[in-house]
Amino acid sequence: MTAASMARSAGQCVLMLSCPDTPGIVYAVAGFLFDRRCTIVQSRQFHDPDSHTFFMRVQFAHAGGLALPVPDLQRDFADVASRFGMTWRLGDADEKQRVLIMVSRFGHCLNDLLYRDSVGELNLDVAAVVSNHPDLGLLAGNYGVPFHHIPVTPGAKPEAEARLLEIVQDERVDLVVLARYMQILSPGLCEHLEGRAINIHHSMLPSFKGARPYQQAYERGVKLVGATAHYVTADLDEGPIIDQQITRVDHSLSADEFVALGREVECRALARAVRWHTENRVALNGRKTVVLH
């Protein structure tokens, strides 16, 4: 829960929870809201038969139109959560999450996120852009976002990651987005950012590893170009998947057109993943995610 949610009231709140499935969970949540004169605006739930876990997202408002006291609701719901062994978060539905975006030299995902946020399509508070190259400083500046150039060299990678964590802490960052950041994060950093770092990966059928993946796809004559947005883990590009996007291609397209289409699906997948995470719609379920639209 962010510090801002602890100090304010809200027009609507979101409760996101997961716990071992057992009778009475929905009844307990509904009763908690009823006792506080709250009305449910939206509710989604899912039972996973494999893990026997119950997932629920409830967006609610006060029935009389009054502001909701977020800290009081958080304190009171802790008793309900304890009874059912819940992993949960409750906060202001309109609260902006503090986001740090990491990039290298490819600016399409960065530009897409900043543009979507500028027109109100995403509910972000972009704290900073961090890059291992200086190239995209002007783009960040055009949106009024602070830019930090942190070079990453083989002998100074620990120092670079330490500087990154300083910015995360100083800027009270809730979510780190790797928007085509072409550096491997250390296992320790991945562990520190677990569940709050999202990466975008070029993912095609078949999968092409290494440099110039779209050129390889073009040379193999693939019929689909795709991208995968997932949480960052120490297992490279194998973190829990949040969203995947594809587009059809054929023999008539050039290699450059493959690249352009690849950039488009990367932007789409990453934007959807960031939106769902910041709207508290994503829950971890082992190596998978549950996304409650």
Side-chain angles (χ1 to χ4, degrees):
M1 198 66 56
T2 62
S5 67
M6 297 297 295
R8 59 174 293 184
S9 58
Q12 292 189 11
C13 282
V14 169
L15 170 64
M16 184 77 173
L17 64 89
S18 62
C19 61
D21 201 356
T22 187
I25 301 170
V26 175
Y27 178 82
V29 171
F32 173 84
L33 297 178
F34 176 80
D35 290 343
R36 288 154 183 81
R37 294 199 62 214
C38 292
T39 182
I40 294 175
V41 176
Q42 184 185 78
S43 180
R44 297 288 186 272
Q45 60 196 57
F46 171 69
H47 161 74
D48 180 10
D50 296 324
S51 64
H52 303 288
T53 303
F54 181 78
F55 300 85
M56 188 176 189
R57 181 187 187 274
V58 181
Q59 189 163 331
F60 60 93
H62 192 276
L66 302 178
L68 296 170
V70 177
D72 293 346
L73 291 169
Q74 291 170 338
R75 182 196 63 226
D76 295 346
F77 190 76
D79 292 335
V80 178
S82 179
R83 292 207 316 265
F84 291 94
M86 294 177 179
T87 298
W88 63 284
R89 52 189 182 269
L90 188 159
D92 183 351
D94 293 326
E95 179 185 358
K96 293 185 176 184
Q97 290 198 22
R98 297 275 288 173
V99 174
L100 182 147
I101 304 175
M102 300 184 68
V103 293
S104 288
R105 285 195 167 110
F106 298 112
H108 53 287
C109 287
L110 172 63
N111 185 63
D112 184 74
L113 290 174
L114 293 177
Y115 174 75
R116 289 177 190 265
D117 185 52
S118 72
V119 298
E121 199 173 312
L122 298 173
N123 192 31
L124 311 179
D125 182 4
V126 183
V129 172
V130 169
S131 179
N132 57 322
H133 297 282
D135 307 49
L136 297 175
L138 181 60
L139 175 59
N142 287 339
Y143 286 93
V145 176
F147 181 83
H148 301 272
H149 175 215
I150 304 179
V152 180
T153 59
K157 189 169 184 176
E159 290 80 1
E161 291 193 345
R163 174 59 183 141
L164 169 65
L165 285 177
E166 283 182 10
I167 297 173
V168 168
Q169 181 174 351
D170 292 346
E171 296 294 339
R172 298 170 287 108
V173 169
D174 301 306
L175 175 67
V176 174
V177 180
L178 278 63
R180 292 304 303 271
Y181 181 68
M182 308 304 287
Q183 287 287 325
I184 297 174
L185 303 185
S186 69
L189 181 57
C190 292
E191 182 178 354
H192 184 84
L193 296 175
E194 183 179 6
R196 58 191 187 111
I198 295 174
N199 185 36
I200 186 66
H201 176 64
H202 54 79
S203 172
M204 291 168 288
L205 303 173
S207 177
F208 298 103
K209 298 180 180 180
R212 306 180 72 195
Y214 295 114
Q215 181 68 34
Q216 295 180 62
Y218 170 71
E219 292 171 354
R220 287 282 299 275
V222 304
K223 306 307 179 191
L224 293 173
V225 166
T228 299
H230 62 89
Y231 284 115
V232 173
T233 66
D235 296 324
L236 296 179
D237 302 319
E238 295 184 13
I241 294 170
I242 307 170
D243 189 50
Q244 292 179 297
Q245 293 285 307
I246 61 170
T247 188
R248 284 202 166 274
V249 294
D250 61 36
H251 61 276
S252 68
L253 301 178
S254 68
D256 288 343
E257 288 171 320
F258 267 56
V259 172
L261 288 171
R263 289 172 177 165
E264 181 181 318
V265 294
E266 287 172 11
C267 290
R268 263 200 333 257
L270 185 58
R272 284 160 63 99
V274 169
R275 177 185 296 111
W276 293 338
H277 177 94
T278 55
E279 290 179 353
N280 288 310
R281 296 184 182 276
V282 186
L284 290 171
N285 184 23
R287 298 183 65 183
K288 302 186 293 185
T289 64
V290 171
V291 183
L292 298 176
H293 301 290

